[in-house]
Amino acid sequence: MILQAIRKKQPLVHSITNYVVANFQANGLLAIGASPVMADELHEVEEMVSIASALLINIGTLNERTKESMLLAGKKANTMGIPVILDPVGAGATAFRKKTVQHLLAQVKFNLIRCNVGELAAIANVRWQQKGVDSGNGSIAITDEAKKIAQQYNCIVIVTGEKDFITDGVQSQWIAGGHHQMTEITGTGCLLSAICGAALVVGNDPFTQLADTLMTYKKIAENAKMSTKYIGDFQITVLNELHRLSQEGEK
Amino acid sequence: MILQAIRKKQPLVHSITNYVVANFQANGLLAIGASPVMADELHEVEEMVSIASALLINIGTLNERTKESMLLAGKKANTMGIPVILDPVGAGATAFRKKTVQHLLAQVKFNLIRCNVGELAAIANVRWQQKGVDSGNGSIAITDEAKKIAQQYNCIVIVTGEKDFITDGVQSQWIAGGHHQMTEITGTGCLLSAICGAALVVGNDPFTQLADTLMTYKKIAENAKMSTKYIGDFQITVLNELHRLSQEGEK
Amino acid sequence: MILQAIRKKQPLVHSITNYVVANFQANGLLAIGASPVMADELHEVEEMVSIASALLINIGTLNERTKESMLLAGKKANTMGIPVILDPVGAGATAFRKKTVQHLLAQVKFNLIRCNVGELAAIANVRWQQKGVDSGNGSIAITDEAKKIAQQYNCIVIVTGEKDFITDGVQSQWIAGGHHQMTEITGTGCLLSAICGAALVVGNDPFTQLADTLMTYKKIAENAKMSTKYIGDFQITVLNELHRLSQEGEK
């Protein structure tokens, strides 16, 4: 089971991430036995990457300064050969985000893009009305566009939503389940991207490792919803479930 | 009921806010069905504002960079005609904060200033000993000074405390209730300002919408206190109550 | 009891800290009746320090900008004569952190360095493999090195871990107890440093005040573990226990 494998290996995941969800993301990684580190200063990101097992780049509250850190960290991760994950938060909301994502995709080799449908549309240049960092509204052929992006950037693409879609450009899979309440607390997508970073470290079959991660995350949402009603308790229970499943597995 | 109206409309609230409470504020907005977005980069705030329903400017951890973003975002929001809310966190604690607040008030038309009594004193130039971002000690005629500020800046002023005071310079109201434990977790005032931003979007009677919001928030404090004892549980229960009331209303 | 003394005095602790744990740290200080303020802008840190009872410098997500703020705030705190605490998060992980810590130690008189063993090794120039911001692996004589650092910088040194070690260079003490789950949520070390800042304000025997704080924190970990199983609940219960003990004391 993927979370148990992560707990066994205890990978260090360097996250250049946003300040809205940094705490939740750190606790979520710790819950499954991974180690988070969140350095974003230009003068140290390369050195921090050099001791990490995976790098997550999340543009949720990016600025001119951290944009440069992301670029430098990504390039260093490529020379190290460790997995690099892109979470293009709100990529379609502003030109600054869209350009940054394009620049990152041009300069850094990513192993995984983990996005929502609005962010996919932005990367695929499909007309779309993104609602801030939420997915928003529009019309897009998810499977076709995600596959195209996966082929173009030679990476895995995960588009999360009511059903998650995962593709490496050749094989693809839809994953159902979960609960919509996951979209009603901040940072569940960001945390999933971080966990995917940890998941990419444990094994030699990235597609299966990530598909397992998605299924596990759906299960966690269902479990959390079964034992809670409102989102205060729900967010805490998501952390509990990550902790529990990574220790005990699903029973 | 105001929270139910917010849930129905699902406004996007762009918050330029502090990193101490960003997560709590995002989850609090999500709890009532609003969408938070927290971009603060100069190169994108105008574009982010242009898709938002309301803008919150919170100076809790401001710096030279974000100060400029706040100014630009505020001006853009004015041209868009969307509600702009100022949360002058710790305005009386340093000259830098006080000057920033004065500059913002001179350059941006705010619909609402939501502050504590120490921050009111700073804006009103009344001698006061502010304790960091807490209200601190001093002597001030809240009703007079708040009305004066409301008239001067043609906006609503809310001064929260043991009793809340709301005025638009003409009509005024004191709102009692609540529980002092709200001041013993970080971010409840900041979150209230964000919720006021969402509340200003739903209706055509800002004073009533905001007075309703204050009464509801007092009720939430009372409910949370009834079912919990210590602040760890209390903060989670505040989120639960926001979620519950926005779905079910008060029973 | 130290937490009750803090609640009685309600010290304002100015924390220049990282955005990962800022919320948890603020709520932890509030839980014991202290007041947190988290300003990090160069133009205001001196003025904020001038109204504070203690200053905490935590380098968890430092950057070139905040590095300067830390230096300025530290120097100001020295002229004020208030306690200054250094939390050298991940000091051994990058040259940037190590140099910043050396620079701070050279320019600012600290009353306390609160670190883990990997950070101690970095300050003591002992070869060590730090794992991001976690302690990592290596071989070090904690008592000797901590005493040496305490003498060199004329301060108290606390090295937390399975057992905590505290020394002022003359007297020393090992403190057992606690629960390893404290290392499985983010920010417990950072929060401890902040609480130590508050503890240094209440009394005239810093060594005893800090040793009491460490014992109380160990007790809190044990209590939290007794009533919870997984880390979501655990982190909330740590806040509850801080709140409870500072009001009621240990029963």
Side-chain angles (χ1 to χ4, degrees):
Chain A
M1 197 260 199
I2 189 73
L3 297 188
Q4 291 171 301
I6 292 170
R7 175 168 291 284
K8 201 171 168 194
K9 187 130 184 188
Q10 308 196 325
L12 178 66
V13 181
H14 180 189
S15 302
I16 303 184
T17 192
N18 68 79
Y19 53 76
V20 185
V21 308
N23 184 273
F24 184 67
Q25 205 170 297
N27 274 332
L29 284 172
L30 285 164
I32 58 171
S35 288
V37 66
M38 266 114 177
D40 67 21
E41 162 58 39
L42 199 65
H43 291 148
E44 69 165 359
V45 287
E46 289 177 294
E47 200 176 348
M48 200 62 95
V49 164
S50 73
I51 56 168
S53 305
L55 171 68
L56 169 67
I57 293 176
N58 173 309
I59 66 164
T61 52
L62 90 165
N63 58 47
E64 281 291 349
R65 182 181 70 77
T66 52
K67 191 183 77 168
E68 295 307 317
S69 301
M70 292 170 185
L71 200 62
L72 212 60
K75 286 178 177 176
K76 179 69 178 181
N78 284 167
T79 70
M80 304 286 302
I82 62 169
V84 190
I85 296 89
L86 178 63
D87 191 329
V89 181
T94 69
F96 179 65
R97 287 176 191 240
K98 194 165 176 176
K99 273 185 205 162
T100 299
V101 164
Q102 284 168 340
H103 193 56
L104 284 167
L105 284 168
Q107 300 278 318
V108 176
K109 163 76 181 76
F110 287 93
N111 298 70
L112 168 65
I113 302 170
R114 206 291 312 161
C115 58
N116 66 31
V117 61
E119 292 149 2
L120 176 70
I123 295 172
N125 266 314
V126 170
R127 201 181 167 77
W128 192 271
Q129 182 66 42
Q130 183 149 8
K131 188 182 180 190
V133 296
D134 296 343
S135 46
N137 295 298
S139 172
I140 187 173
I142 292 178
T143 53
D144 292 351
E145 296 297 341
K147 273 185 198 173
K148 220 188 305 179
I149 301 293
Q151 285 161 2
Q152 184 178 348
Y153 295 107
N154 187 25
C155 68
I156 294 178
V157 172
I158 291 175
V159 186
T160 50
E162 200 186 318
K163 290 183 187 182
D164 296 345
F165 182 69
I166 175 172
T167 180
D168 60 8
V170 181
Q171 56 183 329
S172 300
Q173 193 177 334
W174 282 95
I175 293 161
H179 195 278
H180 68 85
Q181 200 154 295
M182 285 298 259
T183 65
E184 294 169 7
I185 55 175
T186 192
T188 51
C190 300
L191 174 54
L192 175 58
S193 298
I195 294 174
C196 285
L200 281 170
V201 177
V202 293
N204 296 301
D205 182 359
F207 185 90
T208 304
Q209 288 151 235
L210 293 173
D212 283 356
T213 303
L214 295 176
M215 282 183 272
T216 302
Y217 214 58
K218 291 286 196 195
K219 188 71 195 161
I220 283 170
E222 292 163 15
N223 291 350
K225 188 57 200 172
M226 260 189 296
S227 58
T228 63
K229 193 160 180 191
Y230 302 112
I231 77 155
D233 293 329
F234 184 78
Q235 60 164 329
I236 297 301
T237 307
V238 167
L239 292 176
N240 286 339
E241 279 297 300
L242 284 166
H243 194 189
R244 189 179 71 78
L245 287 178
S246 68
Q247 288 185 322
E248 305 164 15
E250 187 62 42
K251 287 174 188 175
Chain B
M1 195 263 199
I2 189 73
L3 297 188
Q4 290 171 303
I6 292 170
R7 174 168 293 284
K8 200 171 170 194
K9 189 132 183 185
Q10 309 194 326
L12 179 65
V13 180
H14 180 189
S15 303
I16 304 185
T17 192
N18 69 79
Y19 53 75
V20 184
V21 309
N23 184 273
F24 185 67
Q25 206 170 296
N27 275 331
L29 285 171
L30 285 164
I32 59 172
S35 288
V37 66
M38 265 112 176
D40 67 21
E41 162 57 39
L42 199 65
H43 292 147
E44 70 167 355
V45 287
E46 289 178 295
E47 200 175 349
M48 200 61 95
V49 163
S50 74
I51 57 169
S53 305
L55 171 68
L56 168 67
I57 294 178
N58 172 309
I59 67 164
T61 52
L62 90 166
N63 58 47
E64 281 290 349
R65 182 182 69 78
T66 53
K67 190 182 76 167
E68 295 307 316
S69 301
M70 292 170 185
L71 200 63
L72 212 59
K75 287 178 176 176
K76 179 68 179 181
N78 284 167
T79 70
M80 303 284 303
I82 62 170
V84 190
I85 296 89
L86 177 63
D87 191 330
V89 181
T94 69
F96 180 66
R97 287 178 191 239
K98 194 164 177 176
K99 273 185 204 163
T100 299
V101 165
Q102 285 168 340
H103 193 57
L104 284 167
L105 285 167
Q107 299 278 319
V108 176
K109 162 78 179 77
F110 287 93
N111 299 70
L112 168 66
I113 303 171
R114 205 290 311 161
C115 58
N116 65 30
V117 61
E119 291 148 4
L120 175 70
I123 295 172
N125 265 314
V126 171
R127 200 180 166 77
W128 192 271
Q129 183 65 44
Q130 183 148 8
K131 189 182 178 190
V133 296
D134 295 342
S135 47
N137 294 297
S139 172
I140 186 172
I142 291 178
T143 53
D144 292 350
E145 296 296 342
K147 274 185 197 171
K148 219 188 307 180
I149 301 292
Q151 286 161 2
Q152 183 179 349
Y153 295 107
N154 187 25
C155 68
I156 295 179
V157 173
I158 291 175
V159 187
T160 50
E162 201 185 317
K163 290 182 186 181
D164 295 345
F165 182 69
I166 175 171
T167 180
D168 60 7
V170 181
Q171 56 184 329
S172 300
Q173 194 177 333
W174 282 95
I175 293 161
H179 194 279
H180 68 85
Q181 200 153 295
M182 286 299 259
T183 65
E184 295 169 6
I185 56 174
T186 192
T188 51
C190 300
L191 174 53
L192 174 59
S193 298
I195 293 174
C196 286
L200 282 170
V201 178
V202 292
N204 296 302
D205 182 358
F207 186 90
T208 304
Q209 288 151 235
L210 293 174
D212 284 357
T213 303
L214 294 176
M215 283 182 273
T216 303
Y217 214 57
K218 291 285 195 197
K219 188 72 195 159
I220 283 169
E222 292 162 15
N223 291 349
K225 188 57 200 173
M226 260 189 295
S227 59
T228 63
K229 193 160 180 193
Y230 302 112
I231 77 156
D233 293 329
F234 185 78
Q235 62 164 329
I236 297 303
T237 307
V238 167
L239 293 177
N240 286 340
E241 279 296 300
L242 284 166
H243 194 187
R244 187 178 72 80
L245 287 178
S246 69
Q247 288 185 322
E248 304 164 18
E250 187 62 39
K251 289 176 187 172
Chain C
M1 196 262 199
I2 189 73
L3 297 188
Q4 290 171 303
I6 293 169
R7 175 168 293 282
K8 200 171 170 193
K9 188 131 184 186
Q10 308 194 328
L12 178 65
V13 181
H14 179 189
S15 302
I16 304 184
T17 192
N18 69 78
Y19 53 76
V20 184
V21 308
N23 184 274
F24 184 67
Q25 204 170 298
N27 275 331
L29 284 171
L30 286 164
I32 58 172
S35 287
V37 66
M38 265 114 177
D40 67 21
E41 163 56 39
L42 199 65
H43 292 148
E44 70 166 357
V45 287
E46 288 178 294
E47 201 175 349
M48 201 60 95
V49 164
S50 74
I51 56 169
S53 305
L55 171 67
L56 168 67
I57 295 178
N58 173 310
I59 66 164
T61 53
L62 90 167
N63 59 46
E64 281 291 349
R65 182 181 68 79
T66 52
K67 191 181 77 168
E68 296 306 318
S69 301
M70 291 171 186
L71 199 63
L72 213 59
K75 286 178 178 177
K76 180 68 178 179
N78 284 167
T79 71
M80 305 285 301
I82 62 170
V84 191
I85 296 88
L86 177 64
D87 191 329
V89 181
T94 69
F96 179 65
R97 286 177 191 239
K98 194 164 176 177
K99 272 184 206 163
T100 300
V101 166
Q102 285 168 341
H103 193 56
L104 285 167
L105 284 169
Q107 300 277 319
V108 176
K109 162 76 179 77
F110 287 94
N111 298 69
L112 168 66
I113 303 171
R114 206 292 310 162
C115 58
N116 65 29
V117 60
E119 292 148 4
L120 175 70
I123 295 172
N125 265 313
V126 171
R127 200 181 167 76
W128 192 272
Q129 182 65 43
Q130 183 149 6
K131 188 184 180 188
V133 296
D134 296 342
S135 46
N137 294 299
S139 172
I140 186 173
I142 292 179
T143 53
D144 292 350
E145 296 296 342
K147 274 185 198 173
K148 218 187 309 180
I149 301 294
Q151 287 161 1
Q152 185 179 349
Y153 296 107
N154 187 25
C155 68
I156 295 178
V157 172
I158 290 174
V159 186
T160 50
E162 202 186 318
K163 292 183 187 180
D164 295 346
F165 181 69
I166 176 170
T167 180
D168 60 7
V170 180
Q171 55 183 330
S172 300
Q173 193 176 334
W174 282 95
I175 293 161
H179 195 279
H180 68 85
Q181 200 154 293
M182 286 297 261
T183 65
E184 294 169 8
I185 56 175
T186 193
T188 50
C190 301
L191 174 53
L192 175 58
S193 299
I195 294 174
C196 286
L200 282 171
V201 177
V202 292
N204 295 303
D205 182 359
F207 186 90
T208 304
Q209 287 151 235
L210 293 174
D212 283 357
T213 304
L214 294 177
M215 282 183 273
T216 303
Y217 213 58
K218 291 287 195 195
K219 188 71 195 161
I220 283 169
E222 291 162 16
N223 291 350
K225 188 57 200 173
M226 261 189 295
S227 60
T228 64
K229 193 160 179 192
Y230 302 112
I231 77 156
D233 293 328
F234 185 79
Q235 61 164 330
I236 298 303
T237 306
V238 167
L239 293 176
N240 286 339
E241 279 296 301
L242 285 165
H243 195 188
R244 189 178 71 79
L245 286 178
S246 69
Q247 290 186 322
E248 305 164 17
E250 186 62 41
K251 290 174 185 172

